[in-house]
Amino acid sequence: MNFDTKILLISFVVSIILGILVIPILKKLKVGQIERDDGPKSHLKKQGTPTMGGIIIILAMIIIITGIYIYLNANNQADIANKLLPMLLITIGFGVVGFIDDFKKLVLKNTEGLKPSYKMIGLLVISVAYVVFLVKGLNIGTDIYIPIIKTFVNIPVWIYIPFAIIVMLATTNAVNLTDGIDGLATSVTTIIVACLTVIGVIFDVKEIIIFGTIVCGCNLAFLIFNLHPAKMFMGDTGSLMLGGVIAAMALVLKMPLLLIVIALIPVLETLSVMIQVTYYKKTGKRIFKMTPIHHHFELSGWSENKIVTVFSLITLILCVVGLNII
């Protein structure tokens, strides 16, 4: 059994154990889902389901990456070990912003949660810190890979930094919007992360291979609790964190433009909201029955399992396409 397979299995097992331990704690603390009255009526029965489950993925990643960091240093691979830490910190950072939002809504019973402006400031600060560290600390350069033409293009640092920050903010919010029905965000992001991990294998980027494998193992374990009917939701704690993970991996690989293809589902989720709001403000009418777009299909009669299956298959196909244009 090779090293990466062991990491995958360990991540899966650790996350399963944490899930079994954490769910009763969330139930005891009454950290339950709050459903919108204007949302799909079928969601009302989910009221009270434990949420903030993203903390399981974060805790598992902290435990496993800490162990791997020690192992790699002991085996004269400190360079790879040190490159894992920034990605772990970005995971924790975005997760903390989501956790604060969830905590205010679910524990403090503040229905508004963290103010959108405060949430965006938190995400912005973390994004700026990460991007500046990549450029100035790790010196990864400011070149990005252009799919299809299969070449790297160097861009000025004053363009690259704001561009990379926008990628991080857009990705975190897109995944956040995708998290609306049982298992959807978990399934879609796992496929995207797996694709980025395969790219890490192709280009021999060791830290991406290790990090992506850990995330996939943790996500697959969480999916056991998150599939319909979900026993636990990830909350903003998980969705913002996973968006940050995808963006962080794409930037290290220098392939943020590829996200337009492989992460098209989160992109469409975001566009559906933007189109709906803009059109409604101008005409007073709606294009979709409800946004994000997965709710449109739900209100059109699709079951949650069908939506997750179709969106996941589309993502899988797009990831195969993505692998063929790099």
Side-chain angles (χ1 to χ4, degrees):
M1 188 181 296
N2 64 32
F3 182 63
D4 298 325
T5 304
K6 290 178 181 176
I7 292 174
L8 181 69
L9 291 175
I10 291 170
S11 302
F12 183 82
V13 172
V14 170
S15 298
I16 288 286
I17 293 170
L18 285 173
I20 293 170
L21 294 174
V22 169
I23 289 179
I25 295 173
L26 293 177
K27 285 182 177 179
K28 188 174 182 179
L29 295 175
K30 297 182 179 179
V31 183
Q33 178 77 356
I34 300 173
E35 291 294 339
R36 295 162 47 185
D37 292 332
D38 59 343
K41 300 304 179 185
S42 60
H43 284 214
L44 294 176
K45 62 185 179 184
K46 300 181 183 184
Q47 191 88 9
T49 301
T51 189
M52 288 173 68
I55 195 171
I56 292 170
I57 302 174
I58 296 172
L59 289 174
M61 289 180 66
I62 292 172
I63 293 168
I64 297 158
I65 291 178
T66 300
I68 290 174
Y69 178 83
I70 295 170
Y71 172 82
L72 291 174
N73 273 288
N75 286 273
N76 300 315
Q77 298 183 68
D79 183 52
I80 299 172
N82 291 333
K83 288 178 180 178
L84 282 173
L85 291 183
M87 288 188 285
L88 174 61
L89 291 175
I90 200 72
T91 300
I92 296 171
F94 282 118
V96 166
V97 174
F99 177 83
I100 294 171
D101 187 36
D102 286 336
F103 189 83
K104 289 193 71 173
K105 285 188 290 190
L106 304 171
V107 178
L108 301 182
K109 307 302 179 185
N110 181 336
T111 53
E112 293 184 359
L114 189 62
K115 290 183 179 179
S117 58
Y118 292 169
K119 184 188 293 186
M120 189 56 66
I121 290 172
L123 297 175
L124 178 62
V125 169
I126 296 165
S127 299
V128 170
Y130 182 73
V131 172
V132 171
F133 180 77
L134 287 181
V135 175
K136 301 296 184 181
L138 294 182
N139 296 311
I140 69 165
T142 59
D143 48 327
I144 60 172
Y145 191 80
I146 310 297
I148 302 177
I149 65 174
K150 301 183 179 183
T151 187
F152 287 93
V153 175
N154 192 55
I155 59 178
V157 67
W158 58 271
I159 295 178
Y160 176 84
I161 290 179
F163 167 73
I165 291 169
I166 290 171
V167 168
M168 299 208 74
L169 294 176
T171 308
T172 51
N173 282 283
V175 174
N176 186 233
L177 289 172
T178 306
D179 182 33
I181 58 177
D182 299 2
L184 180 58
T186 314
S187 300
V188 169
T189 56
T190 301
I191 296 169
I192 296 169
V193 171
C195 178
L196 292 171
T197 305
V198 171
I199 294 172
V201 173
I202 294 170
F203 287 87
D204 195 29
V205 186
K206 294 289 196 300
E207 63 271 21
I208 288 293
I209 299 171
I210 295 172
F211 187 76
T213 301
I214 293 169
V215 176
C216 286
C218 294
N219 271 12
L220 289 171
F222 184 79
L223 199 54
I224 292 176
F225 304 105
N226 192 224
L227 282 174
H228 184 73
K231 295 180 178 62
M232 175 171 52
F233 301 126
M234 66 170 64
D236 282 5
T237 306
S239 60
L240 291 178
M241 177 272 294
L242 287 175
V245 162
I246 291 170
M249 291 177 69
L251 289 175
V252 171
L253 289 167
K254 302 185 178 184
M255 295 192 181
L257 294 179
L258 190 65
L259 293 180
I260 298 172
V261 178
I262 67 174
L264 184 62
I265 289 297
V267 170
L268 292 178
E269 296 275 19
T270 305
L271 288 176
S272 69
V273 174
M274 295 170 65
I275 292 168
Q276 183 90 319
V277 171
T278 303
Y279 189 76
Y280 185 79
K281 285 182 177 179
K282 288 186 176 182
T283 66
K285 299 179 181 179
R286 294 178 172 84
I287 295 178
F288 305 105
K289 294 180 179 180
M290 187 178 178
T291 57
I293 200 168
H294 56 258
H295 287 316
H296 171 81
F297 289 105
E298 193 175 6
L299 293 175
S300 297
W302 286 30
S303 68
E304 291 191 45
N305 284 336
K306 181 177 180 179
I307 295 170
V308 172
T309 301
V310 172
F311 281 29
S312 296
L313 288 173
I314 290 172
T315 302
L316 180 60
I317 293 169
L318 290 170
C319 284
V320 173
V321 171
L323 290 172
N324 280 277
I325 62 176
I326 61 171

